[in-house]
Amino acid sequence: MRRPGKIVCVGRNYVEHARELGNVVPERPLLFLKPPSAVIGDGDAIVLPPDSQRVEHEGEIGVVIGAPVRFARPEEVVAALAGITCVNDVTARDLQKADGQWTRAKGFDTFCPVGPRVVPLADLPPLPELEVACRVNGLERQRGRVADMAFDIPTLVAYISRIMTLEPGDLIATGTPAGVGPLGAGDEVEVEIPGVGVLRNPVEA
Ligand code: ZN
């Protein structure tokens, strides 16, 4: 898969996940960026950095942009999407808490597994029915549906397009459902979206 020009992520977009970390869902989408250098593909290893003692998985629904989007209305957005993919927004939770902003915690090399493919919306169930699950060593840790998001996908894309031009290949990670937890060396983490496939990555020290 082509490396995205930018990766725009959404924080606290599921009520239950916001609550589990002691936060509330914000009044408007909470955005942050991950660097494109963090991207790895299906089967590549997530490497635990020595600077963190607590690296966690965040299984997410990824939206890939297909055509430029700028100041779009939500109803105009769907036509500009290339499709849906699986994303793991890997996070050094201890560094996220220590820093107060998230560039270091979210930005390590290998912290953005993406794949295994991009599937067009036409080949998937309607957006509100899309679901993401995350498993570690075969045990389910997270499950969430687009219908449970605080801000749905067209609303998110339209909102982001008021700030920055979204370009073909850009990736939006739409937030993670409840159940985030730690990863250790030797684990295997999977993110699955039915109809898209399974993104599977080993974890290494
Ligand atoms: Zn996330």
Side-chain angles (χ1 to χ4, degrees), residues 10 32 58 60 89 106 175-176:
V10 183
F32 59 95
E58 292 191 359
E60 307 198 6
D89 173 23
K106 302 274 192 179
T176 203

Side-chain angles (χ1 to χ4, degrees), residues 82-94:
I84 300 294
T85 192
C86 305
V87 179
N88 193 342
D89 173 23
V90 180
T91 302
R93 196 71 65 199
D94 51 350

Side-chain angles (χ1 to χ4, degrees), residues 109-172:
D109 286 1
T110 77
F111 269 27
C112 193
V114 180
R117 65 185 71 84
V118 180
V119 177
L121 298 189
D123 297 340
L124 291 169
L127 278 177
E129 294 173 21
L130 283 186
E131 194 170 50
V132 62
C134 183
R135 292 181 293 272
V136 178
N137 302 328
L139 295 177
E140 184 168 300
R141 295 264 193 94
Q142 298 184 274
R143 180 173 288 273
R145 293 182 311 148
V146 168
D148 299 326
M149 290 179 175
F151 304 99
D152 66 15
I153 287 171
T155 300
L156 290 173
V157 176
Y159 180 80
I160 296 164
S161 84
R162 300 182 63 79
I163 306 159
M164 60 190 90
T165 302
L166 290 167
E167 296 164 324
D170 285 354
L171 174 66
I172 299 169

Side-chain angles (χ1 to χ4, degrees), residues 167-190:
E167 296 164 324
D170 285 354
L171 174 66
I172 299 169
T174 57
T176 203
V180 297
L183 294 171
D187 285 346
E188 181 183 71
V189 58
E190 295 174 313

